[in-house]
Amino acid sequence: MARARTGVRALGAVLAAVLGATLTACSSTGGKRAEDARKAQQAAGRAAVTTPRWTFAMVTHSGDGDTFWDIVQSGAEQAAAKDNVDFLYAHSDEGQQQAQLVQSYIDKDVDGLVVTLAKPDAMKSVVGKAVAAGIPVITVNSGSAESRELGALTHVGQDETIAGEAVGDELDRRGRKKALCVLHEQGNVGHEQRCAGAEKAFDGEMQSLYVEGANMPDVRAAIEAKLQSDRSIDAVVTLGAPFADAAVQAKRSAGSKAEIDTFDLNEKVATALQAGSLGFAVDQQPHLQGYQAVDLLWLYKYNAEVLGGGRPVLTGPQIVTRDDAAELRDYTERGTR
């Protein structure tokens, strides 16, 4: 628990230092006026910069109703408003359809693209077309291993293998012996990497369960059946926040004592962590992924800058527990964590 709390406190310390530096810089009359003007612009929904009105588009592999991607989109929209950018968003959990959406934005000659590579084989050709057309591309969330190969400027997200290993280590720390990793989207390379990383680091036995993520009652039923048939399972790991609640319900119905843990954070997960119905969550900061991706495109268009020299910009993983939930609750309620 100390490790997770340290991450949150360290973030607070960094923010405090930045805030202190900002206040110092604005201590003079001129600085205060500039800061007040900037805040007034933002409050009125006006851009904080005077660069050209560029258009950036984001195309993700999200299915309908996934709260994680609502947070990513919100972060991107906030950065776009600040950066004087028109922001377009589209999504499909079908690889070919996602590629077609990217092609439609290439045809519109957008000034920058943000894409996910959950299914890189389906996206390879169209990302290559964007790069060939001179449209800068940043990958986000999924596809850190394939990003540079496909010509993207950089990748923003967590390394899914490392995140999985963090889960395996945390399960060991909690004394778990047999875990179930629930994959809700077949063909998603990031999901496979999460479970594989967890299995690699976990000293116990790790099993995979494939479910149809678009049908939540079926997800719940599949987990329940597995817990009923194997009473030795003492941990269930879901790969997305919306599926954690289904696993909690399945546990109750099955009469299981397994701990439910999950990747990703939202308001329901924070509440469940506080209540003790979830053991821990892996936060990869989706708001930051969306915000940073748009900001990095803007920096590239404005000044040909690439953060990290093209290496992945990591936004996670961070293990959060009941001890951290109250601190994060305000952020999850407003939809930014």
Side-chain angles (χ1 to χ4, degrees):
M1 293 182 185
R3 178 175 56 186
R5 291 174 67 85
T6 299
V8 176
R9 289 172 179 165
L11 177 60
V14 171
L15 291 175
V18 172
L19 180 58
T22 301
L23 291 173
T24 301
C26 295
S27 60
S28 67
T29 301
K32 187 176 187 307
R33 284 184 187 147
E35 179 68 4
D36 289 345
R38 183 188 66 78
K39 289 180 178 178
Q41 277 188 322
Q42 289 185 332
R46 296 195 297 272
V49 297
T50 57
T51 45
R53 188 72 175 177
W54 292 314
T55 299
F56 297 163
M58 175 182 283
V59 185
T60 74
H61 64 276
S62 169
D64 293 330
D66 191 329
T67 56
F68 178 91
W69 292 104
D70 293 341
I71 300 171
V72 175
Q73 183 180 352
S74 173
E77 289 171 344
Q78 288 180 14
K82 172 182 67 71
D83 292 340
N84 195 33
V85 165
D86 285 324
F87 179 74
L88 307 174
Y89 180 82
H91 65 91
S92 175
D93 56 3
E94 296 292 335
Q96 292 302 324
Q97 178 64 29
Q98 186 190 5
Q100 290 171 15
L101 291 168
V102 173
Q103 182 62 58
S104 73
Y105 287 135
I106 295 173
D107 294 340
K108 290 179 181 178
D109 197 25
V110 297
D111 299 295
L113 271 167
V114 180
V115 301
T116 62
L117 299 178
K119 297 168 183 174
D121 289 343
M123 295 291 290
K124 182 176 181 179
S125 176
V126 75
V127 171
K129 289 179 182 179
V131 173
I135 300 173
V137 177
I138 286 178
T139 61
V140 65
N141 182 261
S142 301
S144 60
E146 296 82 7
S147 178
R148 177 175 285 190
E149 177 187 343
L150 299 190
L153 297 176
T154 191
H155 177 83
V156 182
Q158 71 180 5
D159 184 299
E160 301 294 12
T161 299
I162 292 174
E165 290 172 354
V167 167
D169 289 339
E170 184 68 14
L171 291 172
D172 284 337
R173 196 185 68 78
R174 291 165 175 265
R176 302 301 164 185
K177 302 301 180 185
K178 190 171 186 179
L180 186 68
C181 194
V182 183
L183 297 97
H184 62 266
E185 185 182 340
Q186 293 196 37
N188 185 321
V189 294
H191 290 182
E192 298 286 350
Q193 289 167 351
R194 288 179 181 181
C195 288
E199 183 177 14
K200 177 183 176 182
F202 184 39
D203 291 337
E205 179 184 348
M206 175 76 68
Q207 295 183 356
S208 293
L209 176 67
Y210 290 89
V211 297
E212 180 50 61
N215 190 328
M216 201 61 77
D218 281 0
V219 172
R220 187 168 60 249
I223 298 172
E224 180 182 342
K226 188 66 177 178
L227 291 176
Q228 285 177 333
S229 65
D230 190 347
R231 295 290 176 179
S232 64
I233 294 173
D234 58 8
V236 176
V237 179
T238 62
L239 302 187
F243 303 94
D245 186 55
V248 169
Q249 294 177 45
K251 168 188 172 176
R252 290 198 194 106
S253 299
S256 170
K257 295 183 179 180
E259 177 181 279
I260 308 300
D261 306 305
T262 191
F263 281 80
D264 301 335
L265 187 69
N266 63 12
E267 185 177 356
K268 276 191 173 182
V269 168
T271 300
L273 286 170
Q274 272 191 296
S277 55
L278 288 180
F280 67 87
V282 183
D283 184 20
Q284 60 173 309
Q285 302 184 104
H287 179 271
L288 182 59
Q289 290 181 11
Y291 191 100
Q292 193 70 13
V294 169
D295 239 13
L296 291 181
L297 276 179
W298 179 85
L299 286 167
Y300 182 78
K301 291 288 293 183
Y302 173 66
N303 208 38
E305 294 171 332
V306 180
L307 189 64
R311 293 178 179 271
V313 178
L314 299 182
T315 63
Q318 178 185 1
I319 300 291
V320 294
T321 68
R322 188 174 189 170
D323 292 339
D324 308 304
E327 187 176 356
L328 295 172
R329 184 77 180 273
D330 289 344
Y331 306 130
T332 61
E333 286 179 349
R334 75 184 185 190
T336 55
R337 290 295 287 273

